[in-house]
Amino acid sequence: MSMREQSPVSVGLFVTCLVDTMRPSVGFAAVRLLEAAGCAVSVPRQTCCGQPAFNSGDRATTRALAEQMITAFETFDYVVAPSGSCAGMIKTHYPELFVGEPDWMPRVERFCAKVFELVSFLADVRGVTHVAAAYEGTVTYHDSCSGLRELGIQAQPRQLLASVAGLTLAEMPDSDVCCGFGGTFCVKYPDVSNAIVEKKAANIVASGADTLLAGDLGCLMNMAGKLQREGRSIRVRHVAEVLAGIGDTPPIGQPRPSAAGLGEAGQGRKP
């Protein structure tokens, strides 16, 4: 993995709720990428960043979770999350919870300044330009709303994917348009959410790619579910898994293959 500078730094990995409960391989991929970038990675005891409560208007619960988050992670040089949504919540919205509190606000601002989404941290902070990974196939990339609009993540994943051996990137139409997940939005407005993801699925198919990538697991689960309900064979993975060379985990929403089908498990990965 190529970097502009290689001084060691301490990183607290915020795994996120969805990664912890639904897709642990993303967390392992993040650790592999961060360690290759010269970081000493720790995973302190943690809970939710508070985004669902915040989106539902429960500021008291959000505030309590924010205090826990800051206390658990503020001793690290950086705080990194494999999710633009969670990183955006912390970096953009935590300061709103502590306005007018001189005992907290400087501490919150120092904390938020060192919070980053995984791929942007690798590219923008650690200067990573190349990853030692291979992926045989054509991928398309979805720009998740929070990562794009709150954190400016768009070029970074594409730059790193360009260094993956065997990978071809095919842009889908409207890659920066919402997939319809929106955290609690898909629960509150399921019909609207379904209409949005239906259009997104059509654009994914139009790209001609065999694999869909993104940086937010919630978006990926939403799109994978729609593609599977439509009978599509497009594989869905978190971008960190591909960048880290972890291709032996089944795509999102697909079962682990039986011993008889192990030959298919290696799809998307060079021997």
Side-chain angles (χ1 to χ4, degrees), residues 112-268:
C112 292
K114 58 185 180 181
V115 174
F116 290 88
E117 181 273 342
L118 173 66
V119 178
S120 68
F121 175 76
L122 294 172
D124 299 334
V125 178
R126 296 302 287 167
V128 176
T129 59
H130 177 85
V131 294
Y135 193 91
E136 293 292 350
T138 300
V139 309
T140 194
Y141 190 86
H142 165 70
D143 297 294
S144 301
C145 294
S146 294
L148 175 63
R149 293 169 178 83
E150 292 183 336
L151 302 176
I153 301 166
Q154 188 173 41
Q156 302 94 323
R158 290 167 171 83
Q159 290 169 352
L160 292 183
L161 286 170
S163 71
V164 176
L167 182 148
T168 300
L169 176 64
E171 295 286 359
M172 73 173 84
D174 296 328
S175 65
D176 59 350
V177 172
C178 181
C179 75
F181 178 65
T184 56
F185 175 86
C186 65
V187 178
K188 295 176 181 177
Y189 308 102
D191 293 339
V192 178
S193 175
N194 183 63
I196 295 172
V197 75
E198 189 171 280
K199 292 181 180 178
K200 175 60 67 171
N203 287 335
I204 295 166
V205 173
S207 73
D210 54 64
T211 303
L212 168 66
L213 303 178
D216 269 290
L217 189 53
C219 300
L220 287 163
M221 291 169 61
N222 185 44
M223 294 182 288
K226 186 62 176 179
L227 289 167
Q228 289 174 20
R229 290 192 297 274
E230 293 182 348
R232 308 292 184 181
S233 59
I234 297 170
R235 298 188 292 274
V236 180
R237 295 187 179 278
H238 193 285
V239 65
E241 295 174 314
V242 171
L243 294 177
I246 297 178
D248 53 356
T249 302
I252 293 170
Q254 296 187 19
R256 186 173 297 278
S258 63
L262 283 179
E264 199 169 321
Q267 284 187 345

Side-chain angles (χ1 to χ4, degrees), residues 38-180:
C39 302
V41 183
S42 298
V43 184
R45 188 171 184 177
Q46 55 193 263
T47 183
C48 179
C49 68
Q51 183 177 184
F54 183 81
N55 290 343
S56 299
D58 184 354
R59 293 298 189 270
T61 298
T62 309
R63 168 62 183 261
L65 291 169
E67 290 184 14
Q68 289 182 30
M69 178 80 184
I70 293 166
T71 301
F73 282 88
E74 64 185 340
T75 60
F76 296 100
D77 294 327
Y78 295 97
V79 180
V80 176
S83 165
S85 178
C86 295
M89 169 65 201
I90 297 167
K91 203 171 185 74
T92 305
H93 299 295
Y94 271 20
E96 300 174 25
L97 303 170
F98 298 89
V99 172
E101 299 185 39
D103 292 339
W104 268 101
M105 200 60 184
R107 184 178 173 188
V108 173
E109 290 175 342
R110 287 193 300 271
F111 176 76
C112 292
K114 58 185 180 181
V115 174
F116 290 88
E117 181 273 342
L118 173 66
V119 178
S120 68
F121 175 76
L122 294 172
D124 299 334
V125 178
R126 296 302 287 167
V128 176
T129 59
H130 177 85
V131 294
Y135 193 91
E136 293 292 350
T138 300
V139 309
T140 194
Y141 190 86
H142 165 70
D143 297 294
S144 301
C145 294
S146 294
L148 175 63
R149 293 169 178 83
E150 292 183 336
L151 302 176
I153 301 166
Q154 188 173 41
Q156 302 94 323
R158 290 167 171 83
Q159 290 169 352
L160 292 183
L161 286 170
S163 71
V164 176
L167 182 148
T168 300
L169 176 64
E171 295 286 359
M172 73 173 84
D174 296 328
S175 65
D176 59 350
V177 172
C178 181
C179 75

